[in-house]
Amino acid sequence: MFLIDLLNIVFPVFFIILIGFIVGRYLGVNPKPVSDLCIYVFSPALFFYSVTTSSLNFSDLGKIALFGVSLFVLFAVLMNLISFFFKWGPSYKNAMMLASAFPNAGNYGLPILMFAFGETGVTIGIIFAVIQSLLMNSAGIYYASRNEETGFSQAFSNIFKMPAFVAILLAIFLKLAAIQVPSALSNPIELLGNAAIPALLTLLGINLSNINVKSAMSFITMATTFKLIVYPAIAFLIIGFFYPLDSLWAKVLILSSATPTAATTTLLATKFELKSEYVSSAMFVSTVASLATISFLLFMI
């Protein structure tokens, strides 16, 4: 029963990716304009609407934020050590971070939490998803734009040039201040936000149509292993510092951390020309492989 529900979540993702693959392979569509539309219009609208209309419980925000940031920092330190050992260049290391450090805790994770833990689990998951969105639109932008030619200050400044980061901060402020967005403004933002996920997945398919699988196999294997095994393993090791291991909070946060690579990584990799075919392939493979890893994790917890 669970496998059927999981397939119902994942199959639409694969179907839209397939459409993008066909468009990219046979129509030769340039992914850059699609990427720009997502970055400057669809994604900011999605993040803003999701936060302003969600049932966020801000009394729990601090603890979950500390867990999310701690998990990310520890993983980043590990990746730096591995990068030093294997002598990866900046672009390769940052592409690996982009492909393995940002879980798809929102549109993939929340339906799974609803199935496994009900509304209570989703409420916790939404907070974690918002934290991941902030990390993606800050640290993710930094990693995507940092390469051999781009220095620290320029990569850092890119964070504040991306409207999604500003949209999330503004939405959190409005939520904290209990300011309701008027329907005349909220409705068109919702419509624009609804286009984000299909556009992102179509972009992923377009990028996949241009990849040489053999040349990317090593990257894809490592990124998938890091995302689906190493990342949640670190989450498991540190969750006890925040919540009891047998608590609903711990189970939700570990499961959310174990979700595959977020689709937004493809968007950022395309925007900043950071091995977008590699990152897209890693996102696709991690999503396929998560059918097994998520099922196993749910059985264990």
Side-chain angles (χ1 to χ4, degrees), residues 52-206:
T52 54
T53 59
S54 67
S55 55
L56 284 175
N57 183 353
F58 281 100
S59 63
D60 299 310
L61 180 62
K63 206 170 185 180
I64 296 178
L66 185 58
F67 166 79
V69 172
S70 299
L71 173 59
F72 178 81
V73 170
L74 287 173
F75 185 79
V77 169
L78 175 63
M79 291 300 292
N80 277 323
L81 292 174
I82 294 173
S83 173
F84 177 80
F85 180 79
F86 286 105
K87 296 180 171 57
W88 292 342
S91 293
Y92 194 93
K93 181 191 75 172
N94 292 344
M96 188 65 72
M97 274 294 295
L98 207 60
S100 56
F102 300 98
N104 191 349
N107 63 298
Y108 186 101
L110 293 179
I112 294 174
L113 293 178
M114 174 62 78
F115 171 83
F117 306 116
E119 287 288 350
T120 306
V122 170
T123 301
I124 300 169
I126 287 173
I127 302 173
F128 185 74
V130 170
I131 300 304
Q132 288 303 315
S133 296
L134 273 173
L135 284 171
M136 170 66 70
N137 288 284
S138 53
I141 291 170
Y142 172 81
Y143 280 110
S145 60
R146 182 79 188 272
N147 53 45
E148 289 82 356
E149 290 79 32
T150 305
F152 170 83
S153 58
Q154 184 177 343
F156 185 76
S157 67
N158 283 333
I159 296 172
F160 302 96
K161 296 176 183 177
M162 295 294 106
F165 180 71
V166 178
I168 294 172
L169 291 182
L170 177 60
I172 291 176
F173 169 76
L174 293 175
K175 197 72 175 176
L176 284 170
I179 299 174
Q180 189 168 0
V181 181
S183 297
L185 186 59
S186 179
N187 290 341
I189 290 175
E190 179 186 9
L191 288 173
L192 289 170
N194 287 340
I197 299 301
L200 282 170
L201 295 176
T202 304
L203 176 64
L204 170 59
I206 294 171

Side-chain angles (χ1 to χ4, degrees), residues 264-276:
T264 311
T265 57
T266 294
L267 177 62
L268 296 178
T270 303
K271 167 64 179 177
F272 295 103
E273 299 178 352
L274 181 74
K275 299 185 181 298
S276 58

Side-chain angles (χ1 to χ4, degrees), residues 198-220:
L200 282 170
L201 295 176
T202 304
L203 176 64
L204 170 59
I206 294 171
N207 282 333
L208 288 174
S209 71
N210 298 317
I211 190 163
N212 183 331
V213 175
K214 289 183 179 179
S215 66
M217 188 59 68
S218 174
F219 180 96
I220 295 169

Side-chain angles (χ1 to χ4, degrees), residues 2 67 103-105 108-109 111-117 128 227 232 235 248-260 293-299 301:
F2 166 73
F67 166 79
N104 191 349
Y108 186 101
I112 294 174
L113 293 178
M114 174 62 78
F115 171 83
F117 306 116
F128 185 74
K227 181 66 216 61
L248 177 62
W249 298 86
K251 292 176 181 179
V252 167
L253 292 175
I254 291 172
L255 187 60
S256 297
S257 301
T259 53
T293 56
I294 291 292
S295 298
F296 175 78
L297 188 58
L298 278 171
F299 176 77
I301 62 176

